[in-house]
Amino acid sequence: MRIVFTGLENERYRPELGKTNEHNNFYLLLKSNPNNEVIYIPFDRILKIGKRAYNEELLDAVKNEKPDLFWAFMYTDEIEKDVLDEIKKLTTSVAWFSDDHWRLDNYSRHYAPHFTKVITTWSKAKERYAKYGITNVIRSQWGFNAGVYRSVVVPGQDIGVSFVGLRTPHREKIINTIRGAGINVFVRGFGWDEGRASFDEMLEIFSRSKINLNLNPPMSALALKPLAQIFFRRRRNLIVPDFWNAPKNLRSYFQKKTPQIKARPFEITGSGGFCITGAADDMEKYYVPEKEIVIYENTDDLTKKIRYYLGHDEERNAIAKAGYERATREHGYDKRLEKIFEEIGLKR
């Protein structure tokens, strides 16, 4: 296929934060197929040429290249709706929306009608979209790109417990509680004193760790960032006022309390690592708890399970092996895209 692909290349438009999930997984996967020709026009170009010029470049690429597919991994307001309408007339256009559990009402539903198909990971999204008369919705899920996520051969597992990810107040509180219980936790990521890990370092940590944590704590009612999002919103790399949408944003604020599946459990298990993850919407559909992955309910439960699995090597290794087999069998993005392309009438 010939594909025009757009999305954010660098996390939050900041190269120092590393490449995005959509770059490492969707773009690199599509590009790796020798039968594909992928024209990549990332959102990051807006910082160099401006939003209007970026949209003109995007539309010109679709007109000139005549792709089989236009794929957008949505972020903020990078793509103008009139441009999306023109692209939709010229080719099959698809958008992947993340965080629909809290962004659907005040973001995704406004863009969805301007695409041929839209993809969501939230289990209740189709029903919510239908209330707005939107029916061009495909349910999929996060996963991992087996071409870049892999087990790294290391002499042994010299790390007991690790967490790789952005430092947030909620995650820091969990880490401090675990450490306060006498359990050492190796952390890497932006915002931590230890600093962020490169992609290769992250894969090595997955393999070196007896236990890899995925921390997705529910939002605190008094957390500053979610409260600020009632009155402000992100526009590309800026924070701008959004007072006039405060009622809709307030509804989204309360919906953030629903823990959602993240990509990390798929990446850890797909790399052969043992994963303990927070409970999340519909997680049991993708892994069998205590057989392929371990799910914790609260910090006390997490601490108990860490202690248990640090002391039961054989059981821990069996779960890691089963999780890896499930991930490689069902949760690779190649499997996800195969189903998506079939549903929209395209063959890879």
Side-chain angles (χ1 to χ4, degrees), residues 226-284:
L227 283 171
Q229 288 175 335
I230 298 173
F231 305 104
F232 298 89
R233 67 182 175 89
R234 182 175 292 278
R235 174 183 288 168
R236 299 182 292 283
N237 63 329
L238 305 172
I239 302 298
V240 298
D242 197 30
F243 303 111
W244 43 91
N245 287 316
K248 288 187 289 186
N249 294 342
L250 183 62
R251 180 178 181 179
S252 297
Y253 166 80
F254 288 111
Q255 290 172 334
K256 287 185 179 183
K257 293 184 178 181
T258 304
Q260 293 295 299
I261 297 177
K262 304 295 184 182
R264 187 67 89 214
F266 300 107
E267 296 165 353
I268 291 171
T269 56
S271 300
F274 174 87
C275 180
I276 300 183
T277 181
D281 171 56
D282 219 17
M283 175 65 83
E284 290 80 2

Side-chain angles (χ1 to χ4, degrees), residues 149-166:
Y149 286 91
R150 63 195 183 282
S151 179
V152 177
V153 178
V154 293
Q157 291 182 314
D158 60 324
I159 299 174
V161 185
S162 70
F163 171 73
V164 180
L166 179 71

Side-chain angles (χ1 to χ4, degrees), residues 37 104 252:
E37 179 184 352
L104 191 154
S252 297

Side-chain angles (χ1 to χ4, degrees), residues 34-211:
N35 295 317
N36 289 341
E37 179 184 352
V38 183
I39 298 96
Y40 190 28
I41 309 176
F43 294 154
D44 306 62
R45 282 190 55 73
I46 293 175
L47 301 186
K48 296 180 180 180
I49 64 176
K51 180 179 176 180
R52 185 64 241 175
Y54 160 81
N55 274 265
E56 291 173 354
E57 184 176 304
L58 204 61
L59 183 55
D60 286 343
V62 174
K63 289 179 176 178
N64 296 330
E65 300 295 338
K66 296 179 174 55
D68 303 290
L69 176 67
F70 171 77
W71 183 289
F73 195 104
M74 301 299 286
Y75 186 56
T76 65
D77 61 352
E78 287 82 5
I79 314 178
E80 295 171 356
K81 291 172 185 174
D82 60 335
V83 170
L84 290 174
D85 290 337
E86 289 301 312
I87 290 174
K88 185 179 175 182
K89 295 175 185 175
L90 297 169
T91 188
T92 299
S93 61
V94 172
W96 184 291
F97 290 113
S98 59
D99 297 324
D100 263 356
H101 67 291
W102 67 270
R103 293 191 82 194
L104 191 154
D105 295 297
N106 65 354
Y107 177 75
S108 304
R109 74 177 180 92
H110 297 293
Y111 283 92
H114 302 278
F115 287 90
T116 308
K117 291 285 185 179
V118 298
I119 303 161
T120 183
T121 63
W122 184 30
S123 65
K124 298 178 177 61
K126 277 194 170 185
E127 179 182 343
R128 182 65 62 81
Y129 275 113
K131 291 182 178 180
Y132 295 110
I134 299 170
T135 58
N136 60 331
V137 183
I138 297 173
R139 170 85 194 284
S140 189
Q141 190 49 266
W142 302 113
F144 74 104
N145 177 4
V148 295
Y149 286 91
R150 63 195 183 282
S151 179
V152 177
V153 178
V154 293
Q157 291 182 314
D158 60 324
I159 299 174
V161 185
S162 70
F163 171 73
V164 180
L166 179 71
R167 175 185 168 273
T168 67
H170 301 83
R171 289 169 171 172
E172 184 176 32
K173 184 178 180 180
I174 294 174
I175 295 296
N176 288 341
T177 300
I178 298 170
R179 287 173 169 170
I183 300 171
N184 184 44
V185 184
F186 180 92
V187 298
R188 292 291 297 275
F190 190 82
W192 299 101
D193 292 340
E194 294 83 351
R196 65 177 297 271
S198 69
F199 188 81
D200 288 337
E201 286 175 326
M202 179 181 70
L203 295 181
E204 186 176 303
I205 292 168
F206 289 167
S207 294
R208 290 172 58 196
S209 301
K210 295 178 181 178
I211 296 175

